[in-house]
Structures are given as structure tokens and as C-alpha cells.
Amino acid sequence: MSGESPPPRATDLRWSQEARLRAIDLAAFWEGRVNRADLIRRFGISVPQATNDLRDYQARAPANLRYDTREKTYLAGPDFRPLFGEPSAEAWLRDAEAPHGLPVEIMPLPARRLDPWLLRRLAQARRAGQALRVFYQPMNQPEPAWRWISPVAFASDGLRWHLRAWNHDAERHEHLLFPRMLELGATRDAGPLPPDPDWERRFAIRLRPASRLNPAQQRVVAADYGMEGGEAVVEVRVALLFLFRRRLGLDRGDGLVEVANQAEMEAVMAEADGRFSGNGGG
């Protein structure tokens, strides 16, 4: 909020000490209270150590905690400001040990398997500057085929992982999906790879509430997406624009948000499509 003083700062902390001070900070923020027993149980420390940690926290943020002699616990004060900055609401909800006070259910999704042995082999090839012969099943072809690839980068669309690779046979960069790599064959020296400008370049997508929504609906969508001035700007690698658009349903036209600079984004994607296969795993 405007007019508020900046939060206190924590500096020069050892990682173990910082972990305990962060636990105090989070408990005070979410639960409004913290005591020595919580620290002892969580970190396996002694009573004197827990007392010292609470004193240290109070010294760094004097207005944050006050000791309640009746309840024999430390309570968050009315002027409480997080010592380590605003905490993540998402992380708190996902913390199975946090006392949420209400049931928390995270909708299960089918597991997208990522073979660690395959990932290990690809990473080794990248480190060694090697190309790999891969037996790959595209979805736009009836049968798998062998191709020579050189791993370039790994990318996730939030649901599954992709491999960004140089296809030596087609002479283009492309995205490959790990489960479609049915077999790995021989290796060879990859040699110098061509630059990948679409991976290096980022495009700023300007999201805004969908035009089909009424003003009241647009206001809540803007708040949900943390928009400022009616827009939220997200920088995405050009090579991942197709995945980003599909992940947010921006290609369907029936979502809650739309791209304000749609024509510019389509031009960038069309330019990139001439340099690599951007269909997310073809």
C-alpha cells in the first residue's frame, strides 16, 4: 500500500539460521503466532537455540512479534511486516504441513512420465558436444523414423517437458517430446551448431481481459492476473510462443484473457515458423 514504510531487511545470514528465521516469519504471517516448541519440533534444535532465534528475529524486526504471557507464545503485532518480503500464497497452500484451517485439495493430473535415463543421455550428449541418432514418432506421420539431433535446451510448458534440438537431417531447430523418442542410437561429433535466434530472443506478450467480457468481469480478471493499467506483460522466448499460446488457450478465442498485441505476435511467430518446426513436437 502507498504510504507504508519498507519492510525490514535480513542480511548476512547463514543458511540454517535463515531457514529458522524464515519459518518464524511465515508462522507469524500465516498463523499470527509462533513459539519455541514449533521451532524445536521442526528443526530438531535445543530450547536455548530456539530462544536465541526468536530473540534474533525480534532484534531484526522489533515491531513484528510480541510475547503474550497468558498464552505463552509470540503473537504477530498489528504493525507486522514480513522480514523476508511478501510470502507465496501458492507455496503455503501446497505445504502439506501448514495449518490451513480449511481443507486443501489439489486436482490430480495424469502423470507425464519423463525417463531419467533418457534425460541423462541427452544431457551427456549436450555436454560432450555430440549428436544423437533418435528413433522418433511424430504425430503428423504414421510411423517413427530415425533422425540425427543435437540437444540444445530443455523447456516446460507447465504440463510436460520438451527438448529443443537441432535436427541435422531437416536442418532446423525443433521441439521434441521425450515419450516420442522410442530409441537412442549412435552418437557422433555434432560440430558447430547454427545459432538459434528464436531461443535467444524474447517477445513481450501484452495480455488484457477478453473484449467479450463486461467491465465488471474485466476488472476481476485484471485483478486475478495482477494486471496494471489493464494489462499484464509476459516475456516469452520466441521459440516457445506456440506452446505459451496453446497453454493459455489464447488460440481458442473463448478465454478470459486475450493478446493486446496480437498482430505483432502473429508476425513474430510467422517469421520464426520459417526457421524451425514450431508445432510442439512434430
Side-chain angles (χ1 to χ4, degrees):
M1 294 182 197
S2 60
E4 290 185 349
S5 58
R9 299 179 60 186
T11 57
D12 302 327
L13 297 175
R14 298 186 304 274
W15 71 267
S16 56
Q17 180 190 12
E18 180 177 335
R20 297 194 300 272
L21 293 184
R22 283 184 179 273
I24 294 171
D25 204 41
L26 289 173
F29 181 87
W30 291 113
E31 304 166 43
R33 61 178 60 222
V34 63
N35 56 48
R36 285 189 297 264
D38 296 331
L39 295 173
I40 294 169
R41 173 183 54 81
R42 179 168 180 175
F43 295 100
I45 57 179
S46 65
V47 173
Q49 181 62 65
T51 300
N52 288 339
D53 289 336
L54 285 162
R55 287 175 178 168
D56 186 14
Y57 181 88
Q58 286 183 295
R60 294 173 184 274
N64 276 7
L65 294 179
R66 62 176 180 83
Y67 186 72
D68 189 295
T69 55
R70 184 168 59 86
E71 296 193 30
K72 295 184 178 180
T73 191
Y74 290 86
L75 302 178
D79 297 323
F80 177 87
R81 297 292 306 280
L83 177 61
F84 294 93
E86 185 175 278
S88 167
E90 177 82 12
W92 182 72
L93 285 173
R94 289 183 175 274
D95 184 355
E97 296 184 3
H100 302 113
L102 294 170
V104 176
E105 179 67 20
I106 299 174
M107 184 178 67
L109 294 172
R112 310 300 286 266
R113 185 173 184 273
L114 180 55
D115 186 342
W117 295 98
L118 172 62
L119 182 61
R120 177 174 180 259
R121 182 84 181 277
L122 293 167
Q124 288 174 337
R126 175 60 177 165
R127 285 193 295 268
Q130 294 179 326
L132 274 169
R133 196 160 182 254
V134 177
F135 197 47
Y136 191 78
Q137 175 64 73
M139 289 294 103
N140 58 359
Q141 297 178 13
E143 299 294 335
W146 288 98
R147 63 178 72 176
W148 281 97
I149 67 164
S150 286
V152 173
F154 301 115
S156 171
D157 62 4
L159 290 178
R160 58 184 178 178
W161 284 91
H162 301 248
L163 173 70
R164 178 77 170 170
W166 172 253
N167 184 329
H168 291 264
D169 302 309
E171 296 187 338
R172 68 188 183 193
H173 286 97
E174 60 188 13
H175 292 297
L176 305 177
L177 289 169
F178 295 98
R180 299 180 191 175
M181 300 181 201
L182 306 180
E183 187 177 344
L184 297 182
T187 61
R188 72 184 190 196
D189 181 64
L193 299 179
D196 188 357
D198 300 318
W199 179 265
E200 298 301 329
R201 181 185 173 193
R202 296 178 184 269
F203 177 76
I205 299 179
R206 291 165 36 217
L207 296 175
R208 67 187 178 195
S211 303
R212 63 182 180 81
L213 303 177
N214 65 41
Q217 292 170 328
Q218 289 180 347
R219 283 194 295 272
V220 296
V221 170
D224 185 21
Y225 281 80
M227 296 181 180
E228 296 183 4
E231 289 187 353
V233 179
V234 183
E235 287 198 350
V236 182
R237 293 185 187 274
V238 170
L240 303 179
L241 280 175
F242 177 86
L243 298 176
F244 179 86
R245 187 178 67 167
R246 186 175 62 183
R247 180 73 174 86
L248 265 67
L250 298 173
D251 53 346
R252 297 198 307 265
D254 59 353
L256 297 177
V257 296
E258 62 188 20
V259 181
N261 52 342
Q262 178 74 23
E264 185 183 359
M265 183 183 75
E266 289 180 356
V268 170
M269 291 180 67
E271 178 187 356
D273 192 51
R275 294 191 292 263
F276 74 97
S277 173
N279 60 5

